[in-house]
Amino acid sequence: MHRIGIGTIWCGRVWPPGNTSYVAPTQNEVNAYLSRACLLLPPNSAQNIMLDTAEGYGQSEDKVGQWLKENAAISSNILIATKFGENYDAETAETAVDLSPQAALACLEKSTEKLGRVDIFYSHITSQVSSQTARDVLQDSELKQLLLKLRKDEKVKMIGTSLSHKDVILEALEKGWLSDFDVVQLPAFICVEDSGVVEQCVAQGIMVVVNSPIRKMKALKVNVPDTPQQMYHEVLKIKGISCCLTGTRTHLDETIGYLQS
């Protein structure tokens, strides 16, 4: 079974973007949601869950962290992933980008305090930044040395990047910019359009996590089947994908069923 990734952006900020009906979840809703995700899995299989959050997800780390603290017995087996580089302003609904080494270190300190620990630490290179900025970040030697040190000092277990630029991921794989990383997170549409991207990552010893298996593929008109279940299966049939994230707030049971089948 693939590791099941629980995306938690909706826990802390308006999601999807521009959703005028969005209502911020209470801590009780988040608690019930995450507990349900664990309950839906077979006994003793919490290790098959990855919780995915980010500094740029508003109050997500706070709410997810509170659940983790209240469920220590379960959370010790869950893989906790977060990202640095994006800051969200709840009042303006705008984000600011800072992918510097200084920002990374400050983020990790805050995230570790909120979440208890960080297993995977990504640079958060969203579509908001240009392809050139993405290239610059991946080639930033000072940032890479910091990430390597954090892993060596066991501040985190794995380091990687969450990257939304297909042209940059292809170039990065070709030029070895990802050689020190353990994991890369990619939008599902990139993997569906070119499964060779996943093959190249795996060949270089890099674990692949995919996000947005429905929302972005629909928006970008990627040629995939019509139903959510078929969309998930289209992604998961790609050899080499380690984890598929779901960002659903209201269809958790069905989605975990897709990922388990």
Side-chain angles (χ1 to χ4, degrees):
M1 182 173 67
H2 290 82
R3 186 181 289 274
I4 294 174
I6 305 297
T8 63
I9 187 170
W10 64 268
C11 297
R13 61 181 285 185
V14 175
W15 195 255
N19 180 6
T20 57
S21 63
Y22 173 85
V23 176
T26 63
Q27 183 65 54
N28 285 340
E29 181 185 350
V30 173
N31 289 351
Y33 181 93
L34 297 177
S35 295
R36 179 66 179 167
C38 293
L39 185 64
L40 288 171
L41 292 170
N44 304 317
S45 63
Q47 67 271 17
N48 288 318
I49 296 179
M50 176 189 295
L51 285 182
D52 182 84
T53 185
E55 178 184 33
Y57 290 177
Q59 296 297 307
S60 174
E61 286 188 331
D62 299 271
K63 292 176 179 176
V64 170
Q66 184 61 41
W67 179 83
L68 289 168
K69 291 172 185 175
E70 294 175 4
N71 294 271
I74 299 174
S75 64
S76 61
N77 293 318
I78 291 174
L79 199 61
I80 302 171
T82 196
K83 315 175 195 74
F84 71 90
E86 185 182 56
N87 292 287
Y88 175 72
D89 187 324
E91 292 186 4
T92 63
E94 295 180 351
T95 56
V97 175
D98 186 350
L99 287 151
S100 67
Q102 295 77 15
L105 188 57
C107 172
L108 182 61
E109 291 176 353
K110 290 185 291 185
S111 297
T112 301
E113 182 178 354
K114 293 175 181 179
L115 299 168
R117 72 176 196 278
V118 172
D119 296 317
I120 301 178
F121 195 46
Y122 297 104
S123 56
H124 201 182
I125 306 176
T126 71
S127 56
Q128 179 179 346
V129 305
S130 67
S131 291
Q132 186 55 55
T133 297
R135 293 186 181 94
D136 292 342
V137 172
L138 293 176
Q139 295 179 87
D140 186 332
S141 59
E142 184 182 354
L143 175 59
K144 181 158 290 186
Q145 288 305 310
L146 170 65
L147 294 175
L148 288 169
K149 186 176 188 305
L150 292 173
R151 185 178 65 188
K152 180 181 179 181
D153 293 346
E154 299 184 344
K155 301 294 185 182
V156 300
K157 291 182 180 178
M158 290 178 273
I159 57 174
T161 186
S162 178
L163 182 62
S164 297
H165 304 69
K166 183 179 179 180
D167 58 333
V168 178
I169 187 67
L170 291 171
E171 184 177 358
L173 287 165
E174 179 184 353
K175 295 183 176 179
W177 298 343
L178 308 178
S179 60
D180 292 313
F181 288 164
D182 305 292
V183 56
V184 62
Q185 185 177 142
L186 300 172
F189 78 88
I190 291 179
C191 304
V192 170
E193 286 182 337
D194 184 359
S195 61
V197 171
V198 179
E199 294 174 7
Q200 289 183 64
C201 288
V202 173
Q204 294 186 27
I206 304 168
M207 184 172 75
V208 178
V209 175
V210 296
N211 62 44
S212 303
I214 295 179
R215 187 182 64 85
K216 279 190 179 179
M217 288 204 290
K218 279 186 174 180
L220 295 170
K221 297 181 172 59
V222 175
N223 185 25
V224 293
D226 293 331
T227 70
Q229 182 174 13
Q230 290 172 318
M231 287 183 182
Y232 275 98
H233 286 177
E234 188 74 15
V235 172
L236 293 176
K237 75 180 184 182
I238 300 171
K239 186 177 180 180
I241 290 176
S242 298
C243 177
C244 183
L245 296 173
T246 172
T248 184
R249 180 176 182 176
T250 56
H251 302 286
L252 181 65
D253 290 46
E254 303 98 295
T255 303
I256 287 185
Y258 304 156
L259 294 170
Q260 289 180 311
S261 61

